Amino acid sequence: MFYREAGVFKTTYSDDMALLPIPLDKFFVLSVIAFMVLVVPFIASEYWLESILIPVLILSLAAIGLNILTGYAGQLSLGTGAFMAAGAYLGYKFVTAFPDINIVVGVLVGGLASAMIGAVFGAPSLRIKGFYLAVTTLAAQFFLIWLFTKQPWFVNYSISGVPTAPPREIFGFLVTGAESNETARYLFVLSFVIVFALIARNLTRGRIGRSWMAIRDMDIAAELIGIKPLQTKLSAFAISSFYCGMAGALWAFCYINIVEPSAFDINRSFQILFMIIIGGLGSILGSFLGAAFIFTLPIFLNNAATGLGLEVSTALIRHVEFMIFGAMIIFFLIVEPHGLARMWSIAKEKLRMWPFPY
Amino acid sequence: MSGVAPVSGQAERIGGELLRVDNVSLSFGGVKALSEISFDIKKGEIRSIIGPNGAGKSSMLNVVNGFYQAQEGSIHYKGVTYAPMRPYIAASNGIARTFQNIALFRGMSTLDNIMTGRVLKMKASLLEQALYMFRGKSEELEHREHVEKVIDFLEIQAIRRTPVGRLPYGLQKRVELGRALAAEPDLLLLDEPMAGMNVEEKEDMSRFIIDVNEQFGTTIALIEHDMSVVMDLSDRVVVLDYGKKLADGTPDEVRGNQDVIDAYLGVTHD
C-alpha cells in the first residue's frame, strides 16, 4: 500500500471510529469491492468463477464464522462442518417446503437453524475449556452428520439420499442448482459475503465483540466487570453457527449443487480451522486470506507440476502436493504464528515508516 | 496526630456507611482464609486493608465483589444485605476493582480495554450493533467520549491504540485502573495497585488514587504493602493476619497497636 496515515486528523469521535478511518484505505476497499462486483464477472472464465471464486467466497464466510467463535471468543470448535451441514440440510428442507419464498430467506433460515443448534452444542463451553471443549464439539460433528445421513426426512425421502439443490431465481435469474449461470451464482454468493463480512466487522468492534475478546483474554476479569459468561459464550456459538450455516447452505445450493453429507465431514471442520489459523485468528481479513490460501494452494501446486512440464503420475503429484502443503503450513506458523493478516498489518506498519524507520 | 481534629474538608468528604462486612468466614477445604471478619467502609473514604502475606486481604476483596462466596456472614452494601454477593450484582451496583496480578485483556488495545469497563452501561441490541446504526452507533460515540476523559485523567493518551500486552508493567497497572474507573464506580477495590513499581510510579499512582477520591468522590478500598503509602493515603486502616482481624482504626492508632507490631515484626510465642 503506497500511502501514509500521516496528515489524517480526526476532529470527531464519529470520524475516528469509522470502519475505515483512513481515506485511502476506504478508497482501496471500495475499489476492491467494485472490482469484484463489476469487473470480475466479465473477465473471469467459467472455471475461475465455478471452481475457485465461488468456493473461496463461501469458505471465507464459514471461516468468518469460526473466527468469531475461536479467534474472537476464544472457544475452540471442531464442529464447523456439522454446523455447515445443519445450514445446508435445514435450508434445503425450508426451501423445498416453501418453494415460493425467496432463496435469500432460505439461506438465512438455514443459518438461523444452525445458530440454534450451535447454541445447544455450545452449552458445555460454560464448564469446559480449550482442547476439551474442542473434543465436545466433535460430538456435534458426528451426531449431526449421522442424523442427516440416517434420517430420510431431512432429504425429503430422496431415494439416492443426496438430493439435488432446488433451482431458485432472483430477479428472474437462476442462482441455485446445476442449470444456473455461474455469473449469477457468483454474484449471489458475493453479495452474501460482502453484507455479512461487514456485519461481522461491526459486531466484532462493538460491545458484543469486546465482550467476546474479554472472555477470550481473561474470563474471570470479564465476569467481574459484569460481562455474563453464559450469554457471551452462547451468543458467540450462535452467531458463529449462523455464519457457518449460511455458508453450508450456499455450498450445497450454489457450489456442489447437491445436498450431501460428505461435503461437511470432519475434514471440512479441520480445513476451516486451518484457514483461520493460517489467515489470522481474530481478524475478518484473515478469514478471507486463509480461505484463499488453503483452497488455492493445492490447485496451484497441482498446476505448477504440469506447468513445469514434469511427467509424473497423478498419485505422485497428489502426495507431493500434501507434503509441500504441510511444509508450507509449518513454515508459515513458525515465521508468523499470528497468520497472514498479521503479516499484512506488519507490512503496513513498516511501510508507514519507510524509508526512514527511525 | 490522633488527638487533632480532622480538617473540615475531610469531614465533609466522608459520609455515612457505604459497605459493611459482617462476620464473614471463608475457608477452602481445611484452610480458613477468613474468620469472622467485620468492618465497614464509609462513603468517600480511603480504607486500607493491610497485613502480612497470606493474611487474607485479597480474599477479603474477592468476597466483597462476589468472586468468592463466603460460607458465613454477609455483605451490606448501600443498605441491602447480600449473603453472599454475586459478581454481576456487584458490578452492576457500582463495585469495580483492579487485580494484584494484572487481569487486562491482553489482545485488545488500551482503548478497547477501557471501553469494556462500560459494558454494563451499553444497551444496544444485536441488530443495532450489527448494522452500526441508531443506538449501536450513538452509544459507541457517547461512551468513547467518556473513555477519552478517563484516558486524559490517567495521562495515557499516547498508548490509546497500543495492544496492552505490549505495554510496560507500570502502564498496564494504569490501564487497569482506567478500566475500573470507566465503570464510574461508587466503590473501587484496588488490590496492590503499586506492587512492583518504582518510587516515581508509586507517586504517580498515589496521585491518581487521591485524585479519584477527591474529584469523583469515589470510595476506595486499598490493599497495599508499602506502609508509607498506606499511612499517607488512608483515612482508616484494617489489619488482618492469618484470616483474623488484628486492628482497625486511623493510621496512627494502627501504627501504635502492639498486635500489629508483633504481626509485622514477629514475636516469640511462649
Side-chain angles (χ1 to χ4, degrees), chain A residues 71-96:
Chain A
Y72 285 95
Q75 312 297 312
L76 198 52
S77 162
L78 288 176
T80 321
F83 299 135
M84 287 177 77
Y89 278 88
L90 295 167
Y92 170 77
K93 272 308 273 190
F94 181 83
V95 169
T96 47

PDB file of all heavy atoms in Angstrom, chain A residues 71-96:
ATOM      1  N   GLY A  71     -11.418 -17.212  17.120  1.00  0.00           N
ATOM      2  CA  GLY A  71     -10.493 -16.090  17.121  1.00  0.00           C
ATOM      3  C   GLY A  71     -10.919 -14.983  18.064  1.00  0.00           C
ATOM      4  O   GLY A  71     -10.095 -14.396  18.763  1.00  0.00           O
ATOM      5  N   TYR A  72     -12.206 -14.669  18.104  1.00  0.00           N
ATOM      6  CA  TYR A  72     -12.665 -13.560  18.942  1.00  0.00           C
ATOM      7  C   TYR A  72     -13.086 -14.030  20.321  1.00  0.00           C
ATOM      8  O   TYR A  72     -12.705 -13.440  21.322  1.00  0.00           O
ATOM      9  CB  TYR A  72     -13.817 -12.806  18.266  1.00  0.00           C
ATOM     10  CG  TYR A  72     -13.340 -11.930  17.138  1.00  0.00           C
ATOM     11  CD1 TYR A  72     -13.359 -12.378  15.823  1.00  0.00           C
ATOM     12  CD2 TYR A  72     -12.845 -10.658  17.385  1.00  0.00           C
ATOM     13  CE1 TYR A  72     -12.890 -11.589  14.795  1.00  0.00           C
ATOM     14  CE2 TYR A  72     -12.380  -9.856  16.358  1.00  0.00           C
ATOM     15  CZ  TYR A  72     -12.402 -10.325  15.062  1.00  0.00           C
ATOM     16  OH  TYR A  72     -11.938  -9.534  14.059  1.00  0.00           O
ATOM     17  N   ALA A  73     -13.897 -15.098  20.381  1.00  0.00           N
ATOM     18  CA  ALA A  73     -14.411 -15.504  21.695  1.00  0.00           C
ATOM     19  C   ALA A  73     -13.532 -16.566  22.356  1.00  0.00           C
ATOM     20  O   ALA A  73     -13.760 -16.926  23.501  1.00  0.00           O
ATOM     21  CB  ALA A  73     -15.839 -16.000  21.573  1.00  0.00           C
ATOM     22  N   GLY A  74     -12.540 -17.085  21.616  1.00  0.00           N
ATOM     23  CA  GLY A  74     -11.580 -17.990  22.227  1.00  0.00           C
ATOM     24  C   GLY A  74     -12.095 -19.388  22.526  1.00  0.00           C
ATOM     25  O   GLY A  74     -11.520 -20.086  23.343  1.00  0.00           O
ATOM     26  N   GLN A  75     -13.182 -19.800  21.884  1.00  0.00           N
ATOM     27  CA  GLN A  75     -13.719 -21.145  22.123  1.00  0.00           C
ATOM     28  C   GLN A  75     -13.357 -22.037  20.933  1.00  0.00           C
ATOM     29  O   GLN A  75     -13.834 -21.817  19.833  1.00  0.00           O
ATOM     30  CB  GLN A  75     -15.245 -21.106  22.295  1.00  0.00           C
ATOM     31  CG  GLN A  75     -15.729 -20.035  23.265  1.00  0.00           C
ATOM     32  CD  GLN A  75     -15.226 -20.255  24.671  1.00  0.00           C
ATOM     33  OE1 GLN A  75     -15.305 -21.350  25.203  1.00  0.00           O
ATOM     34  NE2 GLN A  75     -14.669 -19.216  25.267  1.00  0.00           N
ATOM     35  N   LEU A  76     -12.528 -23.038  21.192  1.00  0.00           N
ATOM     36  CA  LEU A  76     -12.076 -23.905  20.117  1.00  0.00           C
ATOM     37  C   LEU A  76     -13.218 -24.826  19.683  1.00  0.00           C
ATOM     38  O   LEU A  76     -13.901 -25.402  20.523  1.00  0.00           O
ATOM     39  CB  LEU A  76     -10.902 -24.727  20.624  1.00  0.00           C
ATOM     40  CG  LEU A  76     -10.004 -25.395  19.581  1.00  0.00           C
ATOM     41  CD1 LEU A  76      -9.547 -24.385  18.562  1.00  0.00           C
ATOM     42  CD2 LEU A  76      -8.815 -26.023  20.280  1.00  0.00           C
ATOM     43  N   SER A  77     -13.422 -24.954  18.364  1.00  0.00           N
ATOM     44  CA  SER A  77     -14.512 -25.811  17.892  1.00  0.00           C
ATOM     45  C   SER A  77     -14.058 -26.664  16.715  1.00  0.00           C
ATOM     46  O   SER A  77     -13.365 -26.189  15.833  1.00  0.00           O
ATOM     47  CB  SER A  77     -15.701 -24.950  17.457  1.00  0.00           C
ATOM     48  OG  SER A  77     -16.569 -25.701  16.650  1.00  0.00           O
ATOM     49  N   LEU A  78     -14.467 -27.907  16.736  1.00  0.00           N
ATOM     50  CA  LEU A  78     -14.216 -28.805  15.600  1.00  0.00           C
ATOM     51  C   LEU A  78     -15.539 -29.223  14.973  1.00  0.00           C
ATOM     52  O   LEU A  78     -15.623 -30.240  14.299  1.00  0.00           O
ATOM     53  CB  LEU A  78     -13.441 -30.042  16.060  1.00  0.00           C
ATOM     54  CG  LEU A  78     -11.977 -29.805  16.421  1.00  0.00           C
ATOM     55  CD1 LEU A  78     -11.349 -31.077  16.951  1.00  0.00           C
ATOM     56  CD2 LEU A  78     -11.205 -29.315  15.212  1.00  0.00           C
ATOM     57  N   GLY A  79     -16.582 -28.442  15.209  1.00  0.00           N
ATOM     58  CA  GLY A  79     -17.896 -28.821  14.689  1.00  0.00           C
ATOM     59  C   GLY A  79     -18.337 -27.988  13.506  1.00  0.00           C
ATOM     60  O   GLY A  79     -19.509 -28.029  13.115  1.00  0.00           O
ATOM     61  N   THR A  80     -17.395 -27.241  12.900  1.00  0.00           N
ATOM     62  CA  THR A  80     -17.769 -26.334  11.818  1.00  0.00           C
ATOM     63  C   THR A  80     -18.506 -27.048  10.689  1.00  0.00           C
ATOM     64  O   THR A  80     -19.516 -26.558  10.189  1.00  0.00           O
ATOM     65  CB  THR A  80     -16.507 -25.656  11.246  1.00  0.00           C
ATOM     66  OG1 THR A  80     -15.646 -25.350  12.336  1.00  0.00           O
ATOM     67  CG2 THR A  80     -16.859 -24.430  10.482  1.00  0.00           C
ATOM     68  N   GLY A  81     -17.970 -28.211  10.298  1.00  0.00           N
ATOM     69  CA  GLY A  81     -18.592 -28.960   9.209  1.00  0.00           C
ATOM     70  C   GLY A  81     -20.040 -29.299   9.532  1.00  0.00           C
ATOM     71  O   GLY A  81     -20.931 -29.156   8.683  1.00  0.00           O
ATOM     72  N   ALA A  82     -20.275 -29.713  10.762  1.00  0.00           N
ATOM     73  CA  ALA A  82     -21.632 -30.091  11.157  1.00  0.00           C
ATOM     74  C   ALA A  82     -22.562 -28.888  11.136  1.00  0.00           C
ATOM     75  O   ALA A  82     -23.714 -28.999  10.715  1.00  0.00           O
ATOM     76  CB  ALA A  82     -21.611 -30.697  12.552  1.00  0.00           C
ATOM     77  N   PHE A  83     -22.062 -27.727  11.577  1.00  0.00           N
ATOM     78  CA  PHE A  83     -22.926 -26.548  11.576  1.00  0.00           C
ATOM     79  C   PHE A  83     -23.209 -26.112  10.135  1.00  0.00           C
ATOM     80  O   PHE A  83     -24.294 -25.618   9.836  1.00  0.00           O
ATOM     81  CB  PHE A  83     -22.306 -25.415  12.391  1.00  0.00           C
ATOM     82  CG  PHE A  83     -22.105 -25.782  13.837  1.00  0.00           C
ATOM     83  CD1 PHE A  83     -20.926 -25.494  14.495  1.00  0.00           C
ATOM     84  CD2 PHE A  83     -23.106 -26.460  14.527  1.00  0.00           C
ATOM     85  CE1 PHE A  83     -20.748 -25.849  15.824  1.00  0.00           C
ATOM     86  CE2 PHE A  83     -22.938 -26.823  15.858  1.00  0.00           C
ATOM     87  CZ  PHE A  83     -21.756 -26.521  16.503  1.00  0.00           C
ATOM     88  N   MET A  84     -22.237 -26.308   9.238  1.00  0.00           N
ATOM     89  CA  MET A  84     -22.499 -26.045   7.817  1.00  0.00           C
ATOM     90  C   MET A  84     -23.556 -27.005   7.308  1.00  0.00           C
ATOM     91  O   MET A  84     -24.469 -26.626   6.574  1.00  0.00           O
ATOM     92  CB  MET A  84     -21.214 -26.209   7.008  1.00  0.00           C
ATOM     93  CG  MET A  84     -20.205 -25.094   7.205  1.00  0.00           C
ATOM     94  SD  MET A  84     -18.672 -25.394   6.296  1.00  0.00           S
ATOM     95  CE  MET A  84     -19.157 -24.966   4.635  1.00  0.00           C
ATOM     96  N   ALA A  85     -23.439 -28.291   7.699  1.00  0.00           N
ATOM     97  CA  ALA A  85     -24.405 -29.292   7.252  1.00  0.00           C
ATOM     98  C   ALA A  85     -25.795 -28.930   7.747  1.00  0.00           C
ATOM     99  O   ALA A  85     -26.782 -29.042   6.994  1.00  0.00           O
ATOM    100  CB  ALA A  85     -23.999 -30.666   7.769  1.00  0.00           C
ATOM    101  N   ALA A  86     -25.881 -28.462   8.999  1.00  0.00           N
ATOM    102  CA  ALA A  86     -27.188 -28.082   9.536  1.00  0.00           C
ATOM    103  C   ALA A  86     -27.806 -26.993   8.672  1.00  0.00           C
ATOM    104  O   ALA A  86     -29.002 -27.047   8.345  1.00  0.00           O
ATOM    105  CB  ALA A  86     -27.036 -27.602  10.979  1.00  0.00           C
ATOM    106  N   GLY A  87     -26.992 -26.016   8.286  1.00  0.00           N
ATOM    107  CA  GLY A  87     -27.490 -24.956   7.422  1.00  0.00           C
ATOM    108  C   GLY A  87     -27.944 -25.500   6.084  1.00  0.00           C
ATOM    109  O   GLY A  87     -28.997 -25.128   5.561  1.00  0.00           O
ATOM    110  N   ALA A  88     -27.152 -26.409   5.523  1.00  0.00           N
ATOM    111  CA  ALA A  88     -27.467 -26.951   4.202  1.00  0.00           C
ATOM    112  C   ALA A  88     -28.755 -27.787   4.249  1.00  0.00           C
ATOM    113  O   ALA A  88     -29.680 -27.573   3.462  1.00  0.00           O
ATOM    114  CB  ALA A  88     -26.301 -27.799   3.704  1.00  0.00           C
ATOM    115  N   TYR A  89     -28.834 -28.723   5.193  1.00  0.00           N
ATOM    116  CA  TYR A  89     -29.985 -29.628   5.235  1.00  0.00           C
ATOM    117  C   TYR A  89     -31.263 -28.904   5.631  1.00  0.00           C
ATOM    118  O   TYR A  89     -32.312 -29.087   5.016  1.00  0.00           O
ATOM    119  CB  TYR A  89     -29.714 -30.794   6.192  1.00  0.00           C
ATOM    120  CG  TYR A  89     -28.906 -31.890   5.547  1.00  0.00           C
ATOM    121  CD1 TYR A  89     -27.521 -31.854   5.562  1.00  0.00           C
ATOM    122  CD2 TYR A  89     -29.537 -32.951   4.901  1.00  0.00           C
ATOM    123  CE1 TYR A  89     -26.769 -32.842   4.957  1.00  0.00           C
ATOM    124  CE2 TYR A  89     -28.799 -33.957   4.295  1.00  0.00           C
ATOM    125  CZ  TYR A  89     -27.412 -33.896   4.328  1.00  0.00           C
ATOM    126  OH  TYR A  89     -26.677 -34.876   3.721  1.00  0.00           O
ATOM    127  N   LEU A  90     -31.177 -28.066   6.657  1.00  0.00           N
ATOM    128  CA  LEU A  90     -32.395 -27.408   7.107  1.00  0.00           C
ATOM    129  C   LEU A  90     -32.786 -26.297   6.139  1.00  0.00           C
ATOM    130  O   LEU A  90     -33.975 -26.047   5.934  1.00  0.00           O
ATOM    131  CB  LEU A  90     -32.215 -26.903   8.535  1.00  0.00           C
ATOM    132  CG  LEU A  90     -32.026 -28.094   9.499  1.00  0.00           C
ATOM    133  CD1 LEU A  90     -31.534 -27.646  10.856  1.00  0.00           C
ATOM    134  CD2 LEU A  90     -33.313 -28.884   9.638  1.00  0.00           C
ATOM    135  N   GLY A  91     -31.791 -25.660   5.513  1.00  0.00           N
ATOM    136  CA  GLY A  91     -32.094 -24.706   4.454  1.00  0.00           C
ATOM    137  C   GLY A  91     -32.800 -25.415   3.311  1.00  0.00           C
ATOM    138  O   GLY A  91     -33.800 -24.930   2.766  1.00  0.00           O
ATOM    139  N   TYR A  92     -32.319 -26.606   2.976  1.00  0.00           N
ATOM    140  CA  TYR A  92     -32.924 -27.397   1.899  1.00  0.00           C
ATOM    141  C   TYR A  92     -34.368 -27.755   2.260  1.00  0.00           C
ATOM    142  O   TYR A  92     -35.277 -27.623   1.435  1.00  0.00           O
ATOM    143  CB  TYR A  92     -32.103 -28.665   1.669  1.00  0.00           C
ATOM    144  CG  TYR A  92     -32.746 -29.667   0.748  1.00  0.00           C
ATOM    145  CD1 TYR A  92     -32.732 -29.477  -0.632  1.00  0.00           C
ATOM    146  CD2 TYR A  92     -33.380 -30.796   1.260  1.00  0.00           C
ATOM    147  CE1 TYR A  92     -33.337 -30.390  -1.476  1.00  0.00           C
ATOM    148  CE2 TYR A  92     -33.981 -31.709   0.434  1.00  0.00           C
ATOM    149  CZ  TYR A  92     -33.955 -31.508  -0.943  1.00  0.00           C
ATOM    150  OH  TYR A  92     -34.559 -32.416  -1.770  1.00  0.00           O
ATOM    151  N   LYS A  93     -34.574 -28.194   3.516  1.00  0.00           N
ATOM    152  CA  LYS A  93     -35.923 -28.529   3.967  1.00  0.00           C
ATOM    153  C   LYS A  93     -36.846 -27.331   3.804  1.00  0.00           C
ATOM    154  O   LYS A  93     -37.962 -27.447   3.300  1.00  0.00           O
ATOM    155  CB  LYS A  93     -35.911 -28.939   5.450  1.00  0.00           C
ATOM    156  CG  LYS A  93     -35.664 -30.384   5.754  1.00  0.00           C
ATOM    157  CD  LYS A  93     -36.553 -31.314   5.006  1.00  0.00           C
ATOM    158  CE  LYS A  93     -37.898 -31.590   5.690  1.00  0.00           C
ATOM    159  NZ  LYS A  93     -38.604 -32.693   4.993  1.00  0.00           N
ATOM    160  N   PHE A  94     -36.361 -26.168   4.225  1.00  0.00           N
ATOM    161  CA  PHE A  94     -37.197 -24.972   4.175  1.00  0.00           C
ATOM    162  C   PHE A  94     -37.505 -24.597   2.729  1.00  0.00           C
ATOM    163  O   PHE A  94     -38.651 -24.311   2.381  1.00  0.00           O
ATOM    164  CB  PHE A  94     -36.483 -23.818   4.889  1.00  0.00           C
ATOM    165  CG  PHE A  94     -37.272 -22.539   4.911  1.00  0.00           C
ATOM    166  CD1 PHE A  94     -38.242 -22.328   5.875  1.00  0.00           C
ATOM    167  CD2 PHE A  94     -37.055 -21.561   3.956  1.00  0.00           C
ATOM    168  CE1 PHE A  94     -38.987 -21.159   5.886  1.00  0.00           C
ATOM    169  CE2 PHE A  94     -37.797 -20.401   3.957  1.00  0.00           C
ATOM    170  CZ  PHE A  94     -38.765 -20.189   4.933  1.00  0.00           C
ATOM    171  N   VAL A  95     -36.477 -24.618   1.889  1.00  0.00           N
ATOM    172  CA  VAL A  95     -36.651 -24.187   0.505  1.00  0.00           C
ATOM    173  C   VAL A  95     -37.610 -25.114  -0.239  1.00  0.00           C
ATOM    174  O   VAL A  95     -38.434 -24.669  -1.042  1.00  0.00           O
ATOM    175  CB  VAL A  95     -35.278 -24.122  -0.203  1.00  0.00           C
ATOM    176  CG1 VAL A  95     -35.447 -23.948  -1.698  1.00  0.00           C
ATOM    177  CG2 VAL A  95     -34.461 -22.993   0.368  1.00  0.00           C
ATOM    178  N   THR A  96     -37.530 -26.430   0.058  1.00  0.00           N
ATOM    179  CA  THR A  96     -38.432 -27.348  -0.636  1.00  0.00           C
ATOM    180  C   THR A  96     -39.834 -27.318  -0.028  1.00  0.00           C
ATOM    181  O   THR A  96     -40.816 -27.553  -0.723  1.00  0.00           O
ATOM    182  CB  THR A  96     -37.889 -28.786  -0.594  1.00  0.00           C
ATOM    183  OG1 THR A  96     -37.490 -29.070   0.748  1.00  0.00           O
ATOM    184  CG2 THR A  96     -36.712 -28.965  -1.517  1.00  0.00           C
TER     185      THR A  96
END
